[in-house]
Amino acid sequence: MRKIKYKKGRKLQPYNLEYTGIHKTKDSEMQLFVYDDLDLSEYENFKVANLDKYIDDQKTNWINIHGLNNVEWLKSIGDYFKIDNFMLADIMNTVRRTKLEESHKFLFFNIKSILPAENSDNISVEQISFLIKEGVLISFQEKRSDFFTHIRERIRTHSGLVREKKADYLLYVLLDAIMENFYITLENEEDKLEELINLSKQSPDPVILERIEKHRDNFNFLKRSIIPLRESLYNIKSIKDDNVFNAIEVENFTFFSRLHQKSLELLEQIESDMGSLESASNFFFSAQTHKMNEIMKTLTIVSSIFIPLTFIVGVYGMNFENLPELQYKYGYQTVMGFMFLIVIGMIIYFKKRRWF
């Protein structure tokens, strides 16, 4: 899981444009889909100056941008669409929390896309931002990825409602795809949680406790990522009534309500999983304590058996000349037999009391 360095993000002024993510060597690219119910045009790797030629105000235009490290190139896109600098700064500053911002020209939405990292217990994080205005949706990704591959195919093959509806429905579909990544990540964490619960019952290895704490951090990170998303999706409902931004059709607010419901489901499941993780941690400590108690019980029993034997040995180890048994012919055998009977008697007693 990539650790967010808030200190650096706070130093940035609202109008300073600087990419704060980790994908600093990725090339910046732009992809454009122009479509309606009857027609589709697709353009790759074109210049900002060609947007006038390709964008069609009568159709839905989806501009997908990969790579945020080319500041001047992004500024030229901002100048073309008249995007405020503080919005561009939020797009490039990946330490910002999920937020929704509304103006007369745009609806701005950024979100953390989360997936499990391969072959590790870490979580991979990427910030994705959206700007939507009438007929145009712009998505900003830190790098080229396959989050939206199936949506592109649905547009190309005219599958589902995407081609029939406008940019607001496309925003819903893209957000839904990102939220599916939360479900994938949560399912992966739950599989590892089940493995840890089983391991905690079988082995006292401290590595298990380290993994439990690692996944506790992962669940907390998921929770911190979903809470602002839940708030942002809830705030979309207020857009319907404030008459500031009208690019979302009234009948499509239902779709965003579904996303809000999904965020609530995710949070409830995370709370449940964190409870299970706490149980695994408690079971691990209980098993450790039980094992330690068993060891101490065994040592105590052994010590208890040898205490009377040590006393007898101590008595006959004293250097007095007139110990009566010293002159007895069978004294040694008698004392050893007595000591043996003591041991047998104590073992029988402990067994009857079920002390071991």
Side-chain angles (χ1 to χ4, degrees):
M1 179 177 63
R2 184 190 351 153
K3 187 175 181 181
I4 295 178
K5 298 180 180 178
Y6 289 99
K7 187 175 181 181
K8 181 179 181 182
R10 288 173 177 167
K11 288 181 178 179
L12 294 178
Q13 297 301 316
Y15 283 85
N16 285 356
L17 300 183
E18 179 185 347
Y19 174 56
T20 61
I22 62 174
H23 305 288
K24 298 184 182 294
T25 60
K26 302 295 181 182
D27 294 332
S28 297
E29 302 172 327
M30 183 159 50
Q31 180 185 44
L32 172 63
F33 286 86
V34 181
Y35 64 87
D36 59 13
D37 192 26
L38 303 174
D39 189 37
L40 167 67
S41 300
E42 184 177 345
Y43 308 97
E44 294 271 358
N45 296 330
F46 55 90
K47 295 181 179 179
V48 178
N50 294 331
L51 281 170
D52 276 329
K53 182 169 63 175
Y54 297 142
I55 286 182
D56 188 338
D57 293 336
Q58 304 304 313
K59 299 179 180 180
T60 299
N61 303 269
W62 175 25
I63 301 171
N64 192 29
I65 294 170
H66 304 102
L68 304 180
N69 56 309
N70 190 335
V71 176
E72 294 303 319
W73 184 70
L74 287 175
K75 283 180 67 176
S76 66
I77 294 174
D79 291 339
Y80 179 86
F81 287 104
K82 297 181 173 56
I83 303 172
D84 291 331
N85 256 24
F86 73 86
M87 284 189 179
L88 285 176
D90 283 344
I91 290 168
M92 300 176 70
N93 188 354
T94 59
V95 304
R96 300 288 187 189
R97 76 195 296 264
T98 295
K99 65 182 292 188
L100 174 74
E101 196 163 313
E102 179 188 8
S103 71
H104 288 279
K105 295 184 293 183
F106 292 102
L107 180 67
F108 172 67
F109 200 117
N110 76 352
I111 184 174
K112 298 291 188 293
S113 181
I114 295 175
L115 278 173
E118 294 184 5
N119 303 319
S120 78
D121 288 336
N122 293 329
I123 292 178
S124 175
V125 186
E126 179 185 345
Q127 177 169 288
I128 301 178
S129 302
F130 300 98
L131 283 170
I132 182 173
K133 58 183 292 188
E134 190 69 40
V136 178
L137 174 65
I138 311 172
S139 55
F140 299 85
Q141 296 180 245
E142 293 187 65
K143 61 182 178 65
R144 181 175 286 276
S145 58
D146 57 357
F147 298 152
F148 306 139
T149 300
H150 64 291
I151 298 173
R152 295 187 188 95
E153 288 304 312
R154 286 167 62 181
I155 293 174
R156 291 170 182 143
T157 60
H158 204 321
S159 176
L161 299 175
V162 182
R163 291 271 293 274
E164 299 175 16
K165 290 187 171 287
K166 297 182 179 179
D168 55 341
Y169 183 80
L170 177 61
L171 174 62
Y172 155 72
V173 173
L174 297 177
L175 289 174
D176 187 54
I178 294 173
M179 291 195 70
E180 285 301 312
N181 292 341
F182 280 93
Y183 281 100
I184 293 171
T185 305
L186 186 56
E187 183 178 354
N188 181 74
E189 288 294 315
E190 287 175 342
D191 290 341
K192 293 180 178 178
L193 170 59
E194 185 176 352
E195 176 190 350
L196 284 174
I197 291 174
N198 293 331
L199 286 174
S200 67
K201 295 177 180 178
Q202 299 169 6
S203 170
D205 191 342
V207 173
I208 296 174
L209 185 60
E210 292 178 11
R211 290 190 61 194
I212 287 174
E213 292 305 314
K214 173 64 178 175
H215 287 287
R216 194 193 310 277
D217 290 342
N218 287 352
F219 278 117
N220 279 322
F221 182 79
L222 281 169
K223 186 176 179 180
R224 292 199 308 271
S225 300
I226 294 172
I227 287 175
L229 174 60
R230 177 199 62 187
E231 295 169 356
S232 297
L233 290 169
Y234 180 81
N235 289 337
I236 286 181
K237 297 178 182 179
S238 64
I239 296 174
K240 181 169 59 175
D241 305 318
D242 60 14
N243 296 321
V244 175
F245 184 80
N246 299 313
I248 298 180
E249 297 181 344
V250 174
E251 62 268 22
N252 289 337
F253 279 97
T254 304
F255 297 114
F256 292 96
S257 295
R258 293 178 185 175
L259 294 181
H260 179 254
Q261 185 62 36
K262 282 187 175 182
S263 68
L264 296 177
E265 292 173 359
L266 284 167
L267 284 172
E268 289 176 1
Q269 189 60 42
I270 287 173
E271 290 292 344
S272 174
D273 291 335
M274 290 184 72
S276 299
L277 197 63
E278 187 68 27
S279 297
S281 179
N282 291 338
F283 190 92
F284 178 84
F285 284 116
S286 297
Q288 290 281 65
T289 302
H290 178 71
K291 183 180 178 182
M292 181 61 68
N293 288 340
E294 288 295 314
I295 293 172
M296 294 303 297
K297 182 172 68 174
T298 302
L299 293 176
T300 302
I301 290 172
V302 171
S303 300
S304 299
I305 291 172
F306 276 90
I307 285 173
L309 304 184
T310 304
F311 172 75
I312 294 172
V313 171
V315 169
Y316 287 99
M318 292 187 294
N319 295 320
F320 292 109
E321 293 183 0
N322 295 319
L323 285 176
E325 293 84 3
L326 290 179
Q327 307 301 321
Y328 181 54
K329 180 178 179 180
Y330 299 105
Y332 173 75
Q333 291 86 343
T334 302
V335 173
M336 291 299 294
F338 181 63
M339 293 170 67
F340 179 76
L341 290 175
I342 289 176
V343 171
I344 297 300
M346 295 185 72
I347 291 175
I348 293 172
Y349 177 76
F350 293 151
K351 278 285 188 181
K352 285 185 176 180
R353 298 298 298 268
R354 296 182 179 178
W355 288 0
F356 68 92

